[in-house]
Amino acid sequence: MTAESLFGRSARPALAAILDPDGGRLLVALDCDGTLAPIVSRPQDARVPAATLRSIARCSALPGVTVAIVSARVPSELRALVPLPGVRLVGLYGLMERSIPAATRARWRRRVRRLESTAIAAFEGIQGAWLERKGIALAAHDRGVRDPDAARRFARALRVVRREAERLGLRATGGRRVVEFIPREGGKDSAVRRLIRSTGARRAVYFGDSAADDPVYVLLRRRGLLRAGLGVHVGAGTTRAAYRVRALADVRRFLDRLREARTAGARRAA
Ligand SMILES: [Mg+2]
């Protein structure tokens, strides 16, 4: 399926339904890396541009709008990247949220720990491969893998780890140059569904940039869930989103359009 341009003519009705100030509570959910922060070779060097942070802050102050960042990053990293008090930060795919019973989270941790031993053995000695242990999730990064032989070994090791993950009730979700193993019941789609429920949103828009965001786009299309749901993919590449924008700056452009629509609506009402 091809995604249409969010700012193109054919997207106008869908965009208008989201921008409409009288359409009911709106959830604006945003992925972080590759959507707000440009992808860099070392994840710890990633930054959200100041202008983007300003646009996010302004939108989160609008009445009837909730802005949430839904990311694979651990919560402390996410707070450092988006240090805005009015924004809901959902780190680690929402796997740490208080609404999830502690016993469930403990069960998830045990599954991930079992996978860790398989993964450590499988990826051992592969130049540039890097395992990130997050407790309730495990990420295998290949950003540093340059050598073709190492790339082949990484792919082979990944197959072994995927099989074991499946057996343990974990699912693999792919970002850019990273495969992440998380509890099957978790994921960005579950996190966004919880946000819709807890905020009482009647409309939602989600921006993402990788295969890890596809389940959210699928969720937002579901009939009966929302009055209007809009999935937007940032950049080129295949996606299950219905809409697409070209660059990260277009996410800011959307946020600024939303704020303008709301302030114009407030002026009319006054
Ligand atoms: Mg991303």
Side-chain angles (χ1 to χ4, degrees):
M1 202 184 89
T2 54
E4 293 176 45
S5 165
L6 180 66
F7 301 117
R9 186 186 294 267
S10 57
R12 269 184 207 163
L15 187 58
I18 293 291
L19 296 179
D20 178 8
D22 306 315
R25 177 156 281 277
L26 172 67
L27 170 68
V28 178
L30 309 162
D31 166 54
C32 185
D33 288 86
T35 300
L36 302 176
I39 296 286
V40 289
S41 51
R42 300 189 322 154
Q44 62 268 39
D45 295 337
R47 295 287 178 272
V48 180
T52 304
L53 287 177
R54 269 196 300 277
S55 298
I56 294 171
R58 285 188 194 126
C59 279
S60 69
L62 294 170
V65 176
T66 302
V67 180
I69 316 293
V70 182
S71 170
R73 287 205 183 241
V74 298
S76 58
E77 287 179 9
L78 195 57
R79 254 194 314 276
L81 281 164
V82 187
L84 301 172
V87 175
R88 291 275 289 268
L89 299 181
V90 181
L92 260 178
Y93 303 92
L95 295 170
M96 303 291 291
E97 275 174 58
R98 274 194 289 271
S99 59
I100 299 167
T104 304
R105 286 204 303 262
R107 198 170 62 238
W108 289 350
R109 276 178 202 285
R110 281 197 295 276
R111 287 193 223 159
V112 172
R113 211 172 313 135
R114 270 188 244 147
L115 186 67
E116 275 177 11
S117 40
T118 305
I120 289 166
F123 290 108
E124 172 149 35
I126 302 176
Q127 190 80 43
W130 168 53
L131 274 182
E132 187 184 359
R133 296 155 81 173
K134 302 180 177 181
I136 209 159
L138 179 70
H141 295 265
D142 70 337
R143 290 187 202 201
V145 177
R146 312 245 185 270
D147 176 63
D149 180 54
R152 269 192 298 276
R153 288 182 58 206
F154 185 88
R156 212 157 38 223
L158 201 55
R159 278 199 293 277
V160 172
V161 177
R162 273 180 190 275
R163 262 200 305 276
E164 179 64 2
E166 182 116 351
R167 203 185 62 77
L168 288 168
L170 301 169
R171 68 160 144 162
T173 156
R176 294 213 206 163
R177 313 287 322 251
V178 58
V179 177
E180 190 130 32
F181 298 95
I182 60 172
R184 195 174 282 148
E185 303 85 336
K188 289 189 169 184
D189 49 342
S190 310
V192 170
R193 201 201 311 252
R194 278 196 297 275
L195 281 167
I196 290 169
R197 208 179 298 141
S198 67
T199 57
R202 307 301 311 276
R203 300 171 295 158
V205 56
Y206 180 82
F207 286 79
D209 76 304
S210 78
D213 303 303
D214 279 337
V216 184
Y217 307 139
V218 174
L219 174 76
L220 293 188
R221 284 165 193 262
R222 190 171 298 174
R223 276 166 192 269
L225 179 72
L226 294 157
R227 202 180 285 158
L230 203 66
V232 187
H233 176 83
V234 180
T238 56
T239 177
R240 300 191 71 177
Y243 297 93
R244 180 194 301 280
V245 293
R246 283 169 61 186
L248 281 69
D250 293 319
V251 180
R252 193 162 71 226
R253 184 174 162 200
F254 165 81
L255 295 171
D256 294 343
R257 286 274 297 272
L258 174 63
R259 188 175 60 103
E260 280 158 27
R262 293 299 172 113
T263 36
R267 268 202 303 274
R268 267 199 309 276

